[in-house]
Amino acid sequence: MNTFTASTSATSPVTVLLPQLRRERRLSQLELSLRVGVSQRHLSCIETGRARPSREMLIALLDALDAPLPRRNEALLAAGYAPHYPRRSLDDPDLGAVREALRRLLDAHDPAPALVLDGGWNLVMANRGAHRLMTLLGVDAEAMLQPGFNLLRACLQPGGLRALCENEAEVCAALWSRAQHEAAHFAELKPLLEELRPHVPQRVTPHAHTPLLHTRLRSSAGVLSLFSAFTSFGSPLDVTLASLRVEHFFPADAATRRALADG
């Protein structure tokens, strides 16, 4: 028993993952133990490797921590269990209803732009409004709006879309802040953030004269002013679905609304 305990506590990544997730959620051992219905002593033994959690106990802890699905699978694998959450391709026949729902959301938002992005800010789908916006900006929509196009890189790299932005520093700082927060949930973002870090301006406080941050873009129709909202799937049980979000762009003034409708 002592041999097993020493080996487990020295080598199991679970002893790193669980305390890390708990600290990220700002939960004490006592708070987490009460949520799951186990003693604080037992939770301490799990976190230090003196006790090996059952698969059911580990899933209960990860649920209580609201851990992102990829990290739940990572913790299960680290404990020697099979992953609990699949990662299907969006082309999988089982996700046909999901693809249809996404397409309906995009079409319903037209003529305003809307995009489906994954956790790494890679483009998955775009509507006609997004193509119109790129055309108004003088950008090759067919080249940019291909699956795999990375919106974060396009917005933060020098010479990209940021060059068309009138409030460049403000928007770049806001995008960077959002991406940093999301990197805690999507590990694929971390290397991209390191790549883009040298190009990010110092944090800029948005002007408080509007309730939302407006992105102001120079276009052939004049300055376009847009703000955005997000849609995501409720209670996803698939890693791919958990990472997807629809970004809906809304015109912030009448001139932008007309330009998008006429484009």
Side-chain angles (χ1 to χ4, degrees):
M1 181 67 176
N2 289 341
T3 301
F4 171 80
T5 299
S7 174
T8 301
S9 62
T11 62
S12 175
V14 172
T15 61
V16 176
L17 285 170
L18 281 179
Q20 183 181 52
L21 286 167
R22 182 171 55 75
R23 287 192 295 270
E24 288 174 3
R25 297 296 181 271
R26 301 182 185 276
L27 290 175
S28 67
Q29 281 188 343
L30 177 59
E31 289 173 303
L32 181 57
S33 66
L34 289 172
R35 288 189 181 188
V36 179
V38 299
S39 70
Q40 183 181 355
R41 177 181 175 82
H42 184 53
L43 177 57
S44 177
C45 288
I46 291 173
E47 287 193 352
T48 58
R50 294 195 299 274
R52 184 174 186 265
S54 67
R55 177 181 173 85
E56 292 72 21
M57 173 57 68
L58 187 52
I59 290 175
L61 288 168
L62 294 166
D63 284 345
L65 289 165
D66 194 26
L69 300 194
R71 298 187 75 180
R72 298 187 197 198
N73 281 345
E74 181 184 357
L76 287 164
L77 283 168
Y81 300 118
H84 187 64
Y85 301 95
R87 183 192 289 268
R88 300 176 180 88
S89 165
L90 195 56
D91 294 327
D92 190 294
D94 288 344
L95 298 186
V98 170
R99 293 193 302 275
E100 177 63 19
L102 291 171
R103 178 48 60 191
R104 285 177 178 270
L105 278 173
L106 294 178
D107 289 346
H109 198 64
D110 198 61
L115 308 170
V116 181
L117 303 171
D118 66 16
W121 292 57
N122 298 304
L123 182 70
V124 177
M125 301 168 70
N127 71 349
R128 291 184 296 274
H131 283 77
R132 276 195 293 274
L133 174 61
M134 292 298 170
T135 301
L136 288 170
L137 296 178
V139 173
D140 185 347
E142 293 303 321
M144 292 196 74
L145 295 181
Q146 293 296 317
F149 163 72
N150 190 274
L151 183 63
L152 189 63
R153 182 180 283 115
C155 290
L156 293 183
Q157 272 188 336
L161 292 176
R162 65 185 290 176
L164 301 171
C165 190
E166 283 211 329
N167 53 335
E168 175 186 341
E170 186 181 26
V171 170
C172 287
L175 291 177
W176 179 256
S177 177
R178 193 172 93 204
Q180 281 189 307
H181 174 75
E182 293 172 358
H185 303 279
F186 302 108
E188 62 265 36
L189 258 182
K190 293 178 180 178
L192 179 59
L193 292 183
E194 289 306 310
E195 172 195 329
L196 297 173
R197 187 181 300 278
H199 310 304
V200 179
Q202 297 296 314
R203 181 168 180 80
V204 176
T205 303
H207 296 298
H209 65 274
T210 59
L212 293 167
L213 174 63
H214 292 178
T215 299
R216 299 192 300 275
L217 298 164
R218 290 182 291 272
S219 79
S220 59
V223 175
L224 306 178
S225 184
L226 301 157
F227 63 88
S228 62
F230 298 95
T231 299
S232 59
F233 288 100
S235 304
L237 300 176
D238 180 278
V239 174
T240 297
L241 295 191
S243 75
L244 295 180
R245 67 179 184 275
V246 183
E247 184 161 9
H248 310 266
F249 293 91
F250 294 88
D253 55 40
T256 301
R257 189 175 299 108
R258 286 193 300 270
L260 292 173
D262 296 340

PDB file of all heavy atoms in Angstrom, residues 35 40 50 59 76 93 110 120 159 177 179 200 211 238 240 242 253:
ATOM      1  N   ARG A  35     -19.523  20.540  -2.261  1.00  0.00           N
ATOM      2  CA  ARG A  35     -20.259  20.459  -3.528  1.00  0.00           C
ATOM      3  C   ARG A  35     -20.420  19.017  -3.988  1.00  0.00           C
ATOM      4  O   ARG A  35     -21.445  18.639  -4.557  1.00  0.00           O
ATOM      5  CB  ARG A  35     -19.539  21.257  -4.614  1.00  0.00           C
ATOM      6  CG  ARG A  35     -19.622  22.764  -4.466  1.00  0.00           C
ATOM      7  CD  ARG A  35     -19.068  23.450  -5.701  1.00  0.00           C
ATOM      8  NE  ARG A  35     -19.100  24.908  -5.578  1.00  0.00           N
ATOM      9  CZ  ARG A  35     -18.830  25.746  -6.564  1.00  0.00           C
ATOM     10  NH1 ARG A  35     -18.512  25.265  -7.765  1.00  0.00           N
ATOM     11  NH2 ARG A  35     -18.887  27.057  -6.379  1.00  0.00           N
ATOM     12  N   GLN A  40     -13.500  16.640   3.372  1.00  0.00           N
ATOM     13  CA  GLN A  40     -12.335  17.407   2.936  1.00  0.00           C
ATOM     14  C   GLN A  40     -11.080  16.550   3.021  1.00  0.00           C
ATOM     15  O   GLN A  40     -10.177  16.665   2.186  1.00  0.00           O
ATOM     16  CB  GLN A  40     -12.176  18.659   3.801  1.00  0.00           C
ATOM     17  CG  GLN A  40     -11.010  19.555   3.369  1.00  0.00           C
ATOM     18  CD  GLN A  40     -10.860  20.781   4.243  1.00  0.00           C
ATOM     19  OE1 GLN A  40     -11.685  21.025   5.124  1.00  0.00           O
ATOM     20  NE2 GLN A  40      -9.805  21.562   4.003  1.00  0.00           N
ATOM     21  N   ARG A  50      -2.652  10.263  -2.269  1.00  0.00           N
ATOM     22  CA  ARG A  50      -2.724   9.198  -1.252  1.00  0.00           C
ATOM     23  C   ARG A  50      -3.943   8.308  -1.462  1.00  0.00           C
ATOM     24  O   ARG A  50      -4.023   7.229  -0.896  1.00  0.00           O
ATOM     25  CB  ARG A  50      -2.751   9.806   0.154  1.00  0.00           C
ATOM     26  CG  ARG A  50      -1.458  10.532   0.531  1.00  0.00           C
ATOM     27  CD  ARG A  50      -1.383  10.797   2.027  1.00  0.00           C
ATOM     28  NE  ARG A  50      -2.465  11.640   2.498  1.00  0.00           N
ATOM     29  CZ  ARG A  50      -2.441  12.965   2.474  1.00  0.00           C
ATOM     30  NH1 ARG A  50      -1.375  13.598   1.974  1.00  0.00           N
ATOM     31  NH2 ARG A  50      -3.453  13.677   2.938  1.00  0.00           N
ATOM     32  N   ILE A  59     -15.262  12.197 -12.224  1.00  0.00           N
ATOM     33  CA  ILE A  59     -16.217  12.918 -13.067  1.00  0.00           C
ATOM     34  C   ILE A  59     -17.034  13.888 -12.224  1.00  0.00           C
ATOM     35  O   ILE A  59     -17.293  15.031 -12.629  1.00  0.00           O
ATOM     36  CB  ILE A  59     -17.129  11.932 -13.826  1.00  0.00           C
ATOM     37  CG1 ILE A  59     -16.324  11.193 -14.905  1.00  0.00           C
ATOM     38  CG2 ILE A  59     -18.309  12.658 -14.468  1.00  0.00           C
ATOM     39  CD1 ILE A  59     -17.090  10.105 -15.631  1.00  0.00           C
ATOM     40  N   LEU A  76      -9.130  12.450 -16.805  1.00  0.00           N
ATOM     41  CA  LEU A  76      -9.512  11.037 -16.814  1.00  0.00           C
ATOM     42  C   LEU A  76      -8.384  10.164 -17.359  1.00  0.00           C
ATOM     43  O   LEU A  76      -8.070   9.099 -16.800  1.00  0.00           O
ATOM     44  CB  LEU A  76     -10.779  10.852 -17.647  1.00  0.00           C
ATOM     45  CG  LEU A  76     -12.071  11.359 -16.990  1.00  0.00           C
ATOM     46  CD1 LEU A  76     -13.184  11.500 -18.025  1.00  0.00           C
ATOM     47  CD2 LEU A  76     -12.510  10.406 -15.877  1.00  0.00           C
ATOM     48  N   PRO A  93     -21.944  12.407 -39.301  1.00  0.00           N
ATOM     49  CA  PRO A  93     -23.395  12.298 -39.509  1.00  0.00           C
ATOM     50  C   PRO A  93     -24.202  12.564 -38.239  1.00  0.00           C
ATOM     51  O   PRO A  93     -25.324  13.087 -38.315  1.00  0.00           O
ATOM     52  CB  PRO A  93     -23.576  10.848 -39.989  1.00  0.00           C
ATOM     53  CG  PRO A  93     -22.264  10.496 -40.619  1.00  0.00           C
ATOM     54  CD  PRO A  93     -21.219  11.221 -39.809  1.00  0.00           C
ATOM     55  N   ASP A 110     -28.366  37.331 -41.543  1.00  0.00           N
ATOM     56  CA  ASP A 110     -28.100  38.081 -42.770  1.00  0.00           C
ATOM     57  C   ASP A 110     -29.122  39.216 -42.917  1.00  0.00           C
ATOM     58  O   ASP A 110     -30.282  39.024 -42.557  1.00  0.00           O
ATOM     59  CB  ASP A 110     -28.203  37.108 -43.955  1.00  0.00           C
ATOM     60  CG  ASP A 110     -27.547  37.628 -45.207  1.00  0.00           C
ATOM     61  OD1 ASP A 110     -26.347  37.858 -45.188  1.00  0.00           O
ATOM     62  OD2 ASP A 110     -28.279  37.825 -46.196  1.00  0.00           O
ATOM     63  N   GLY A 120     -10.055  27.880 -31.013  1.00  0.00           N
ATOM     64  CA  GLY A 120      -8.800  28.518 -31.392  1.00  0.00           C
ATOM     65  C   GLY A 120      -8.996  29.720 -32.291  1.00  0.00           C
ATOM     66  O   GLY A 120      -8.043  30.202 -32.889  1.00  0.00           O
ATOM     67  N   GLY A 159      -0.682  44.845 -40.133  1.00  0.00           N
ATOM     68  CA  GLY A 159      -1.029  44.811 -41.546  1.00  0.00           C
ATOM     69  C   GLY A 159      -2.264  44.007 -41.866  1.00  0.00           C
ATOM     70  O   GLY A 159      -2.686  43.959 -43.028  1.00  0.00           O
ATOM     71  N   SER A 177      -7.521  40.587 -24.423  1.00  0.00           N
ATOM     72  CA  SER A 177      -8.019  40.262 -23.092  1.00  0.00           C
ATOM     73  C   SER A 177      -8.986  39.077 -23.149  1.00  0.00           C
ATOM     74  O   SER A 177      -8.914  38.161 -22.318  1.00  0.00           O
ATOM     75  CB  SER A 177      -8.711  41.487 -22.492  1.00  0.00           C
ATOM     76  OG  SER A 177      -9.255  41.185 -21.227  1.00  0.00           O
ATOM     77  N   ALA A 179      -9.142  36.721 -25.482  1.00  0.00           N
ATOM     78  CA  ALA A 179      -8.422  35.498 -25.866  1.00  0.00           C
ATOM     79  C   ALA A 179      -7.619  34.946 -24.694  1.00  0.00           C
ATOM     80  O   ALA A 179      -7.531  33.721 -24.516  1.00  0.00           O
ATOM     81  CB  ALA A 179      -7.501  35.789 -27.052  1.00  0.00           C
ATOM     82  N   VAL A 200       0.725  43.059 -29.593  1.00  0.00           N
ATOM     83  CA  VAL A 200      -0.459  43.533 -28.875  1.00  0.00           C
ATOM     84  C   VAL A 200      -0.138  44.827 -28.136  1.00  0.00           C
ATOM     85  O   VAL A 200       0.855  44.904 -27.410  1.00  0.00           O
ATOM     86  CB  VAL A 200      -0.941  42.466 -27.873  1.00  0.00           C
ATOM     87  CG1 VAL A 200      -2.153  42.976 -27.100  1.00  0.00           C
ATOM     88  CG2 VAL A 200      -1.296  41.182 -28.612  1.00  0.00           C
ATOM     89  N   PRO A 211     -22.532  51.706 -24.455  1.00  0.00           N
ATOM     90  CA  PRO A 211     -22.665  50.570 -23.536  1.00  0.00           C
ATOM     91  C   PRO A 211     -21.854  49.351 -23.972  1.00  0.00           C
ATOM     92  O   PRO A 211     -21.588  48.458 -23.165  1.00  0.00           O
ATOM     93  CB  PRO A 211     -24.168  50.274 -23.561  1.00  0.00           C
ATOM     94  CG  PRO A 211     -24.642  50.807 -24.879  1.00  0.00           C
ATOM     95  CD  PRO A 211     -23.786  52.015 -25.150  1.00  0.00           C
ATOM     96  N   ASP A 238     -19.835  17.051 -26.233  1.00  0.00           N
ATOM     97  CA  ASP A 238     -18.837  16.733 -27.246  1.00  0.00           C
ATOM     98  C   ASP A 238     -17.804  17.857 -27.237  1.00  0.00           C
ATOM     99  O   ASP A 238     -18.160  19.040 -27.149  1.00  0.00           O
ATOM    100  CB  ASP A 238     -19.498  16.618 -28.622  1.00  0.00           C
ATOM    101  CG  ASP A 238     -18.503  16.299 -29.719  1.00  0.00           C
ATOM    102  OD1 ASP A 238     -17.848  17.242 -30.212  1.00  0.00           O
ATOM    103  OD2 ASP A 238     -18.374  15.119 -30.089  1.00  0.00           O
ATOM    104  N   THR A 240     -15.872  19.039 -29.555  1.00  0.00           N
ATOM    105  CA  THR A 240     -15.991  19.963 -30.687  1.00  0.00           C
ATOM    106  C   THR A 240     -17.104  20.976 -30.451  1.00  0.00           C
ATOM    107  O   THR A 240     -16.917  22.186 -30.629  1.00  0.00           O
ATOM    108  CB  THR A 240     -16.257  19.186 -31.984  1.00  0.00           C
ATOM    109  OG1 THR A 240     -15.131  18.340 -32.259  1.00  0.00           O
ATOM    110  CG2 THR A 240     -16.458  20.130 -33.164  1.00  0.00           C
ATOM    111  N   ALA A 242     -18.398  21.939 -27.663  1.00  0.00           N
ATOM    112  CA  ALA A 242     -18.095  22.816 -26.530  1.00  0.00           C
ATOM    113  C   ALA A 242     -17.232  23.996 -26.958  1.00  0.00           C
ATOM    114  O   ALA A 242     -17.246  25.053 -26.314  1.00  0.00           O
ATOM    115  CB  ALA A 242     -17.408  22.035 -25.426  1.00  0.00           C
ATOM    116  N   ASP A 253     -25.114  51.751 -36.095  1.00  0.00           N
ATOM    117  CA  ASP A 253     -25.763  52.991 -36.535  1.00  0.00           C
ATOM    118  C   ASP A 253     -26.484  52.745 -37.865  1.00  0.00           C
ATOM    119  O   ASP A 253     -26.308  51.698 -38.510  1.00  0.00           O
ATOM    120  CB  ASP A 253     -24.751  54.141 -36.658  1.00  0.00           C
ATOM    121  CG  ASP A 253     -23.570  53.812 -37.555  1.00  0.00           C
ATOM    122  OD1 ASP A 253     -23.788  53.171 -38.608  1.00  0.00           O
ATOM    123  OD2 ASP A 253     -22.439  54.189 -37.218  1.00  0.00           O
TER     124      ASP A 253
END
